[in-house]
Amino acid sequence: MKFKGIFALCLAGVSMTAMAQTHVDGEEYYKADQLENAKDLLKRSLSNPQTDKAVSDYYLGLIAFEEGKDSEAANYFSQGISANPEYAYNYVGQGLLKLKAGDQKGAEELFKTADKNSKKDASLQIAIARAYDRVDPVRYEKQITKQVEKARKFNMENPDIYIFEGDQFKDQVKNADQSLANTLVGKAAGMYEMAANYDKNATAAYVKYANLFTMVNPDYAIKMLNNLLSVNPASALGQRELANAYYNKKDYANAAKQYAAYVQNPSHFKSDESRYAFLLFYGQDFNNGYDYASKLLAEDPSNFTAQRYQFMNAAQIKEMKDQLLPMAEALYAAHKANPDKNKFAAIDYTLIAAELTDAKRPAEAVAVLEEGIKDIPDNLNFYKQLANVYVDENDLAKASDTYALYLAKNDEAGYNDFVQQALYAYFAGAQNLQADPAKSQKYLGIASEYATKASNMAENQYKPVKILGDIAIAQAPNDEARKSAGQPLYEKAIVLLENSADPSRYTSDAKSIYSYLGNYYVGKDNIAKAKEYFNKYLQLAPNDEAVRDYVSKLK
């Protein structure tokens, strides 16, 4: 089949990624408190001539400081001053290090130097306030207040003021009780919202507001992030956060739609390409998911995540059925080559085992599922799938034994589970009736136990009663006894079946019961009753001429 392309991405576009990136996105990520992502983007942009190195060095220095790497931070701040001595913020960075070392006087001299290099910059005053706050917000409370007041004097509409005050409220949440925490979150949100109102391009304000709500009320986050992208549609941070907000809402289709835009942004992260592949699959956009995973795999044949999602999506596309087995084999081989690195989720084991089962390779399917059980023992579906593999192998005893493990681990087992085990065990008993009578009786006993449980749980259901009738027939001592052993239970079962909401669903069982009861009443010389049941049988099987001829001869 022809697949629709998702993106107009090409190798030329990918090769331009580094050149398209400047320090701006890294600065946005830093201000949104995503330090690792900020560092990635800032370092990625260093070779771009459009990058302001003094700015990049300042933020890389702050990140090193947060990581406890003071000497590395000092190097960045010094390099920033060398790159542009008039850029004030690297002096703030040096002052931060002085403060941490206990040299308040030295720090304040550097802050004065920074002030001299700025022209009533409210943001600079907030940067100094943050320096005090990072080191000791209690000890330097007066200095922090002074810097904030100074910032307001310079420009009371500067968004950095309100972002900082929002951060202060947010930092208090972790030590507050629930009632106070809710109040503090509201105050923080109000500050972030005010920052965004004063400056529509204050990306961090939108993102920090959204992060307050993305888990508890993702609709609030989504609305705010859409506001951000309406004024700054190219913001990689905004695109990524909006996609994640949809993901937290479990709206995988919209999350995938947002990631479609984001992964075309030069500032996207390679790790997010795998997230996009995930979202396409769970958003059930299987054709696009297959295409995108295939593109990633073509770019990097060792991309195990892309290989997984290529197969997972292909497994949902009917037209790709004939291509699935080699894909499953290749994926499993990649996993086995390095299982610690190339880890599977439950769906990988399930889909690969299904392909091996379809290929009539049950022993390999069993091995895959047994590995899955060892790797993810809480996944109950492995036991059910493994039982079905044993059914395909015509080993009903193993199917019943495996299903017993499923039931033992399942605290919420119900009617359908009990019926399924009753069936597995009944057929295991019937299968060994002649070859191993003791084994047969063991499984017929298990079948009786679970059919009875099912019947007690749902008294209006015919199926467990019919199974109990089957068991009675199988346990009868001879052929003559078998002719009547099932009659009482079958009589009860057929009434329940005929009174069910949709008896046509159970044609096979109905035919079996009608035929048995017809023959039972022939043996009792009750021809009228026998004909009644045989005629019901013929209503379901009008082309069965042998039965029709037999009934016509009954006298």
Side-chain angles (χ1 to χ4, degrees), residues 300-535:
D300 178 10
S302 67
N303 187 333
F304 181 70
T305 300
Q307 188 178 8
R308 287 181 61 226
Y309 281 104
Q310 182 193 53
F311 172 61
M312 287 161 60
N313 280 289
Q316 315 307 315
I317 301 171
K318 182 179 179 181
E319 293 80 0
M320 298 200 69
K321 179 63 181 171
D322 293 341
Q323 302 175 49
L324 293 179
L325 181 59
M327 293 172 70
E329 292 171 327
L331 181 61
Y332 193 59
H335 162 70
K336 294 298 285 184
N338 194 342
D340 291 334
K341 178 183 177 183
N342 296 339
K343 292 185 178 296
F344 272 171
I347 191 171
D348 300 291
Y349 293 111
T350 294
L351 291 176
I352 290 171
E355 288 309 310
L356 292 169
T357 301
D358 287 350
K360 308 301 181 188
R361 292 157 58 178
E364 293 171 76
V366 167
V368 170
L369 290 169
E370 286 180 342
E371 181 185 346
I373 289 170
K374 183 178 180 181
D375 186 24
I376 314 172
D378 293 335
N379 188 288
L380 300 181
N381 286 327
F382 288 150
Y383 296 97
K384 295 174 77 172
Q385 187 176 4
L386 184 55
N388 282 328
V389 175
Y390 287 129
V391 171
D392 288 342
E393 281 194 283
N394 201 32
D395 191 337
L396 278 302
K398 279 191 176 180
S400 178
D401 291 345
T402 303
Y403 210 79
L405 296 173
Y406 162 75
L407 291 171
K409 291 176 175 290
N410 186 0
D411 294 333
E412 299 178 357
Y415 171 81
N416 289 329
D417 298 311
F418 296 154
V419 168
Q420 186 64 74
Q421 176 64 320
L423 286 170
Y424 283 150
Y426 164 71
F427 285 111
Q431 190 177 54
N432 290 279
L433 201 58
Q434 301 299 325
D436 191 338
K439 185 175 182 179
S440 174
Q441 290 305 310
K442 169 189 169 182
Y443 285 102
L444 289 174
I446 293 170
S448 181
E449 174 189 352
Y450 280 96
T452 300
K453 283 184 178 182
S455 183
N456 291 338
M457 182 175 288
E459 294 180 354
N460 63 334
Q461 295 294 317
Y462 87 92
K463 189 69 175 182
V465 181
K466 197 266 184 185
I467 296 171
L468 288 169
D470 296 338
I471 296 167
I473 294 169
Q475 290 182 320
N478 52 56
D479 288 344
E480 188 60 31
R482 275 190 276 277
K483 293 177 182 180
S484 59
Q487 180 265 334
L489 290 160
Y490 276 10
E491 294 272 16
K492 180 181 177 182
I494 201 61
V495 171
L496 294 172
L497 189 155
E498 290 175 344
N499 289 335
S500 64
D502 185 11
S504 63
R505 291 176 53 197
Y506 313 114
T507 298
S508 178
D509 280 345
K511 286 164 57 179
S512 174
I513 294 172
Y514 290 142
S515 178
Y516 180 91
L517 291 175
N519 284 308
Y520 168 80
Y521 282 108
V522 168
K524 296 297 182 181
D525 291 328
N526 190 339
I527 303 304
K529 197 70 173 175
K531 284 187 174 183
E532 176 186 338
Y533 281 115
F534 280 129
N535 285 330

